[in-house]
Amino acid sequence: MSRTSPHTHHQRGEVSRRGLLKTAGGLTAALALGAGAAASTAGAAPATFTHPGMLHNWGDINRAKVRVAAGDDPWLSGWNRLTANSHSQSTWTPRPQATVIRGGTGENYGLLYNDIAAAYQNALRWQVAGTEANARCAADILNAWSSTLTTVTGNADRFLAAGIYGWQFANAAELMRGYSGFDLARFQRMMVEVFYPLNNQFLTGHNDACITNYWANWDLCNMASVMAIGILTDDGAKYDQAVTYFKSGAGNGSIAHAVPYLHTDSDGYALGQWQESGRDQGHTVMGMGQMGAICEMAWNQGDDLYSYDGRRFMKAAQYVAKYNLGSTVPFTTYTWGSGQNCAQQTQTVISSASRGQVRPVWAMLHYHYNRRLYLDDKYISQMCFSVAPEGGGGDYGSTSGGYDQLGFGTLMYAK
C-alpha cells in the first residue's frame, strides 16, 4: 500500500519539526505500551515519506533550476560539468543484462554502473532544465533494466554491487517518480526482489565471516541501499532497518565502528579516525560518500544522522579531509579480527596509499555542516572547494571507483 504524499516541498523547519513530532508521538505510544517499547517506536520511519526524498528534495531541485537559469555560479559551473558528461546525453543507449556479475569470472558489472550514471544524469538534466528528451532517456534506461535484470551474483563482491548500485539505482528512480513513461511499480519490484535480499543477507550474515572482517564501506553501501529501497517503496520497516544499523549495527558500518577513535588537533578541531584510514585513502574517501548518502537521505525524511553521536561523522570527515589535503593527523593503532576465524590484524600507521584521490563527495558534507548548520568545517570546506565543481560517473576514470558516487554536488547542494 503506497503512503506517498503529493509532490509538496517541505521547508527545512517543517522536516525537523516532523522529526520532533515523530519522536514525541513515539514516546507517547511508548508510555501507553510500557517503557520497553520506547526504543523501537521513537525512531520509527515517517508515517508519510517525502518524495523526492533521497539525495535531493524539491528545494534542492528548485534552487538548481533557478540558479542555473539565472546563470549564477557555482551552480552554472556544476551544470556545465553535467551537460558535458557523455553519460548525460539523451542519446545514451542502455545495455541491460539478466545477470550482473561482480567478482570472479564473467564480470560485466561495468554495464550496470555506466547505465545507472546515465539514468541519474539524464534525470538530473530533466529535473533542472525540463528537457523531455532527457526524461525519456532516463525512463528508458530504468525500464530496460527492470524488465531484464533478475540476478546480481559473483564472489563476495556481489554484495558490493548490490549495495552501491542498489542505492544509486533507487536514487535515479526517485528523480523519475511521477514521469508517465517510467514504470515505477516494476522498478520497485526489481529493487525488492533482486537487490534487497543481498543487502539484507550481508547486513545480517556478513557472508559468514568474522563480524569485523569487512571494511566499513561494505556495510555502508548495503545500509544505503536498504534505506533507499525503503524510501522508494514507502516501506517503513526497511527504512528503520537502515537507521537502526547506522546507530547500533554490529558491523564496521555503524557509526561507532566506522569512527572508532576520536582525536583533537593542535588547532582545537575535533577529528574522528575512519575505520579504513590504515588501509588506503581511496576507500576512506569512498566512505565519506557512502555515509554521506545515508545521512542526506535520512535528513530528507526528517532524521538527523549527520549530527548523531556528537556529530561523529563530521569529525571523521574533518579527519579524512585534513589528511588528504596534505596535513598530518593523529592515528591510534587499529586492531581487528579477519576471515572466518577472526585472525587478528593490526595497522599501526595511517596509509598514504592513494592520498589526495579526488572523489565528488565533499560538497554534500560542506553545504550541510557549514551552510545548513553554520559550523566551522575548516578541512571539509578546503577539500570541497579544491575539487569543485564536482562531476559524476564518467568524470573520474573508467573503473568502478569513479562510479562509487553519483556526484554533481556543486550543482545540487551549493547554497
Side-chain angles (χ1 to χ4, degrees):
M1 181 75 176
S2 173
R3 294 179 293 159
T4 54
S5 58
H7 290 253
T8 50
H9 166 41
H10 293 272
Q11 296 296 332
R12 175 53 53 218
E14 188 180 331
V15 172
S16 31
R17 185 169 70 252
R18 187 178 58 195
L20 290 171
L21 291 172
K22 203 165 71 184
T23 306
L27 294 175
T28 308
L31 291 173
L33 296 166
S40 58
T41 322
T48 305
F49 283 92
T50 299
H51 296 297
M54 290 192 209
L55 290 183
H56 315 300
N57 60 36
W58 277 126
D60 296 330
I61 292 166
N62 190 55
R63 184 182 55 244
K65 194 180 289 186
V66 170
R67 294 296 201 160
V68 169
D72 296 341
D73 258 338
W75 301 271
L76 184 62
S77 297
W79 173 253
N80 289 339
R81 270 216 99 168
L82 172 63
T83 58
N85 192 309
S86 63
H87 294 72
S88 81
Q89 309 311 310
S90 61
T91 49
W92 186 272
T93 306
R95 293 173 292 175
Q97 307 291 308
T99 301
V100 163
I101 303 168
R102 177 165 179 168
T105 53
E107 283 193 323
N108 64 349
Y109 68 105
L111 297 172
L112 177 58
Y113 67 65
N114 274 280
D115 277 1
I116 291 173
Y120 173 75
Q121 291 176 32
N122 272 277
L124 268 192
R125 288 187 68 167
W126 173 57
Q127 288 285 4
V128 175
T131 42
E132 177 68 21
N134 292 112
R136 269 202 310 277
C137 179
D140 286 350
I141 296 168
L142 298 174
N143 290 340
W145 279 92
S146 69
S147 65
T148 308
L149 182 66
T150 58
T151 312
V152 173
T153 188
N155 60 20
D157 285 3
R158 69 189 182 278
F159 294 114
L160 282 176
I164 298 167
Y165 311 132
W167 73 259
Q168 293 184 352
F169 229 167
N171 266 275
E174 180 77 351
L175 288 175
M176 295 309 299
R177 195 182 199 100
Y179 179 71
S180 59
F182 171 46
D183 191 338
L184 175 62
R186 190 175 70 198
F187 194 90
Q188 289 170 323
R189 198 155 56 243
M190 173 187 72
M191 296 308 301
V192 170
E193 294 175 0
V194 179
F195 289 86
Y196 177 74
L198 284 165
N199 303 148
N200 184 56
Q201 192 185 333
F202 186 79
L203 293 176
T204 54
H206 287 90
N207 202 29
D208 298 323
C210 180
I211 192 64
T212 52
N213 180 70
Y214 288 97
W215 302 101
N217 275 307
W218 290 68
D219 266 2
L220 289 168
C221 65
N222 282 286
M223 291 153 65
S225 183
V226 171
M227 178 176 281
I229 292 169
I231 296 168
L232 187 73
T233 61
D234 297 289
D235 186 332
K238 287 184 176 63
Y239 176 87
D240 281 347
Q241 178 184 6
V243 171
T244 300
Y245 200 98
F246 177 93
K247 294 178 176 178
S248 59
N252 284 323
S254 61
I255 187 68
H257 295 138
V259 191
Y261 303 111
L262 299 179
H263 306 282
T264 304
D265 71 7
S266 57
D267 291 331
Y269 286 95
L271 306 175
Q273 182 174 316
W274 187 252
Q275 192 261 342
E276 304 197 41
S277 294
R279 179 191 185 193
D280 66 63
Q281 297 310 306
H283 287 97
T284 295
V285 176
M286 175 188 174
M288 301 302 99
Q290 304 294 317
M291 186 170 275
I294 292 168
C295 291
E296 188 66 21
M297 290 191 289
W299 177 266
N300 284 326
Q301 295 302 330
D303 286 307
D304 189 1
L305 299 183
Y306 274 120
S307 294
Y308 188 74
D309 193 12
R311 289 199 280 269
R312 200 176 184 100
F313 178 43
M314 179 183 179
K315 294 168 186 174
Q318 285 273 83
Y319 179 94
V320 174
K322 183 175 184 181
Y323 183 68
N324 282 278
L325 284 163
S327 298
T328 56
V329 292
F331 186 85
T332 298
T333 294
Y334 181 69
T335 304
W336 75 101
S338 66
Q340 286 183 302
N341 60 351
C342 291
Q344 189 168 304
Q345 306 278 341
T346 301
Q347 290 165 341
T348 56
V349 294
I350 192 167
S351 172
S352 61
S354 57
R355 188 178 187 181
Q357 184 178 102
V358 175
R359 287 180 181 239
V361 304
W362 298 103
M364 180 192 295
L365 308 186
H366 167 66
Y367 289 107
H368 175 78
Y369 289 118
N370 184 263
R371 301 309 299 272
R372 279 177 183 156
L373 304 188
Y374 302 106
L375 299 170
D376 178 359
D377 66 337
K378 180 180 176 179
Y379 308 117
I380 297 170
S381 174
Q382 287 177 21
M383 183 61 89
C384 170
F385 293 113
S386 74
V387 301
E390 288 180 355
D395 289 321
Y396 300 93
S398 60
T399 59
S400 63
Y403 293 79
D404 286 340
Q405 42 284 307
L406 291 169
F408 302 104
T410 308
L411 169 65
M412 298 308 297
Y413 299 115
K415 294 174 182 65

